[in-house]
Amino acid sequence: MTFALAVLCGLAFIGTAVTHMLDDGAVCVQTDFWHNASLADNLPVGKGVKGSSSATRLCQDNPSVGQRAADLGGELPWLLFGSLALLLFSQLLKAVLSQGPFTDAVSRRLSVLGWFVAVGTPLAGLVVGWSRSWLVGSMAPVVGSGPTVSGPLVLVLAGLAAVIMGKIMREGVRMREDLEGTI
């Protein structure tokens, strides 16, 4: 089941990339940089950029290839992250089913999954933040609208917990092997 979900996320990743790059519609981005401003204040927006009255949503009618790619960078990193995490989780479950839960292979796969989640979450968030920041900067060039980290950063704690559990399991496996060797 998890492998099928990983494949489905991978297909969604590829499908979103292809359809988005071939789309000729407007590209929009949400920003909180001008949260208290309005377009009546003559914000410095680029040519062909339309903004909402609260100036928190900007849309470019005829985006460049770079703007379309930056818009795609706001969606694809999380799809790729989710797909790879599900793939690693399915490999972990396969090892549990074939060898049992307290084996060296399971502890290693749990640690790998934990490190992937702990490191991959902020990386995906940075890519999304940089993409959105660049897209906002290309539509309304203002100094100070730098990149942010987006996404559920609480997953870093979950990843670190999985790494710790993997180490605990590895120690338990070693203790069980020592005990079997003495009996």
Side-chain angles (χ1 to χ4, degrees), residues 87-178:
L87 187 64
L88 289 172
F89 186 65
S90 93
Q91 294 299 315
L92 172 68
L93 289 179
K94 185 192 283 186
V96 168
L97 289 174
S98 68
Q99 300 173 8
F102 301 107
T103 61
D104 192 46
V106 171
S107 67
R108 279 186 281 122
R109 288 185 181 170
L110 183 60
S111 293
V112 167
L113 177 62
W115 280 117
F116 178 78
V117 171
V119 174
T121 299
L123 284 178
L126 278 173
V127 170
V128 168
W130 284 334
S131 295
R132 287 188 180 150
S133 173
W134 186 88
L135 188 58
V136 168
S138 72
M139 291 184 189
V142 173
V143 176
S145 60
T148 60
V149 178
S150 65
L153 293 180
V154 71
L155 289 177
V156 173
L157 295 175
L160 292 175
V163 170
I164 292 168
M165 285 303 299
K167 290 189 181 285
I168 290 170
M169 286 179 67
R170 190 172 302 127
E171 188 64 29
V173 167
R174 192 173 56 188
M175 288 172 60
R176 185 184 77 190
E177 289 172 353
D178 287 346

Side-chain angles (χ1 to χ4, degrees), residues 26-39:
V27 168
C28 296
V29 65
Q30 189 79 19
T31 180
D32 290 330
F33 184 71
W34 297 290
H35 191 67
N36 295 324
S38 67
L39 285 180

Side-chain angles (χ1 to χ4, degrees), residues 7-114:
V7 169
L8 186 63
C9 282
L11 290 174
F13 173 81
I14 293 168
T16 301
V18 169
T19 58
H20 195 73
M21 288 306 285
L22 297 177
D23 185 21
D24 60 350
V27 168
C28 296
V29 65
Q30 189 79 19
T31 180
D32 290 330
F33 184 71
W34 297 290
H35 191 67
N36 295 324
S38 67
L39 285 180
D41 298 332
N42 294 326
L43 292 176
V45 295
K47 183 179 178 184
V49 175
K50 296 176 187 172
S52 65
S53 61
S54 64
T56 58
R57 182 170 169 85
L58 302 171
C59 293
Q60 176 80 41
D61 284 333
N62 295 316
S64 67
V65 174
Q67 287 174 323
R68 192 162 298 285
D71 186 39
L72 196 56
E75 299 174 22
L76 287 186
W78 290 115
L79 279 173
L80 181 62
F81 173 77
S83 177
L84 292 175
L86 281 171
L87 187 64
L88 289 172
F89 186 65
S90 93
Q91 294 299 315
L92 172 68
L93 289 179
K94 185 192 283 186
V96 168
L97 289 174
S98 68
Q99 300 173 8
F102 301 107
T103 61
D104 192 46
V106 171
S107 67
R108 279 186 281 122
R109 288 185 181 170
L110 183 60
S111 293
V112 167
L113 177 62

